[in-house]
Amino acid sequence: MIEIMDFLIAHIFALPLYFKLLILALVFGAQILKPQWLKKWSPAIFVGAVMVVGLYLFELSILQYQSFLSGLLSRVLNQKQGLDWFLNYVRLHFWDQYLISLIGALLFYLAAKYMNDKKGERFFEREEVWLGMLGIFLVGYPGWFFYVALILLLPAVLSLVFLKRNERLPLYYFWVPTAVFVILIVHFVLAKQSWWGRFIF
């Protein structure tokens, strides 16, 4: 057990990528193989993902505090102003990207539910709203802006190319693969670009 914890701590910054890809792969598999199961459990999957990410960020904050406490900042952290500074530091560097993407996911829920209720669930299947929320949250800030743009553009372009006029390509199978694509592009390409740093905290 100790060896597992040591391994996880040593690779703590890589854990979100693996978790995101794992949960999205499982959800996409459920979309194809167990659609009725996904329809029932999609809200719980989203809430569970938020809770796991929250626990991860809490652990990361504790490890950061311990790291500062063992260094030159130990005297500062023992004061109220130092603790306030630390809380602002971890919020800015660890929490904010997920807090903003969570807000984005909740705004998407409100907008999608409003449109669906107004049009008799014409736009989205019930679980699709939760898939969209999951994608927005896991992609994180600022990647979820690109995610939403791709979700809107990609099906529209494919509809123009492959479908007849006035036919619409459903978004159902686009939510999860597009989220995986954006996560990988952000992690392996965009995060290494200097201009990308202007968008992150």
Side-chain angles (χ1 to χ4, degrees), residues 17 20 97 138-147 179-193 196 200:
L17 176 64
K20 293 173 185 180
Q97 64 170 315
L138 292 182
V139 165
Y141 172 87
W144 69 269
F145 291 111
F146 296 92
Y147 173 66
V180 171
F181 174 76
V182 174
I183 288 169
L184 292 175
I185 289 295
V186 168
H187 185 82
F188 291 107
V189 179
L190 296 180
K192 298 177 182 178
Q193 306 300 316
W196 183 253
I200 60 178

Side-chain angles (χ1 to χ4, degrees), residues 52-124:
V52 170
V53 170
L55 289 172
Y56 164 78
L57 294 172
F58 183 72
E59 177 65 20
L60 195 61
S61 301
I62 290 175
L63 292 174
Q64 184 67 76
Y65 181 80
Q66 291 173 342
S67 176
F68 283 159
L69 203 60
S70 63
L72 298 175
L73 294 174
S74 58
R75 291 184 179 179
V76 176
L77 292 179
N78 289 326
Q79 302 172 11
K80 183 180 184 302
Q81 288 182 334
L83 185 59
D84 290 342
W85 170 84
F86 172 77
L87 292 175
N88 284 322
Y89 176 90
V90 294
R91 178 187 58 77
L92 184 65
H93 291 281
F94 301 147
W95 288 82
D96 273 0
Q97 64 170 315
Y98 291 104
L99 290 174
I100 292 174
S101 65
L102 179 59
I103 292 171
L106 295 175
L107 290 175
F108 169 78
Y109 173 82
L110 294 175
K113 193 171 187 313
Y114 172 78
M115 289 190 299
N116 247 16
D117 290 346
K118 193 172 182 179
K119 296 294 183 178
E121 295 193 356
R122 176 184 172 187
F123 291 106
F124 307 109

Side-chain angles (χ1 to χ4, degrees), residues 8-82:
L8 292 176
I9 291 172
H11 298 85
I12 194 162
F13 289 109
L15 291 179
L17 176 64
Y18 301 136
F19 169 73
K20 293 173 185 180
L21 296 179
L22 176 62
I23 191 68
L24 289 171
L26 292 174
V27 167
F28 192 62
Q31 267 190 289
I32 297 171
L33 302 174
K34 298 282 187 179
Q36 292 304 316
W37 181 89
L38 185 63
K39 188 182 292 287
K40 179 180 179 181
W41 291 101
S42 53
I45 293 171
F46 173 77
V47 172
V50 172
M51 291 177 65
V52 170
V53 170
L55 289 172
Y56 164 78
L57 294 172
F58 183 72
E59 177 65 20
L60 195 61
S61 301
I62 290 175
L63 292 174
Q64 184 67 76
Y65 181 80
Q66 291 173 342
S67 176
F68 283 159
L69 203 60
S70 63
L72 298 175
L73 294 174
S74 58
R75 291 184 179 179
V76 176
L77 292 179
N78 289 326
Q79 302 172 11
K80 183 180 184 302
Q81 288 182 334

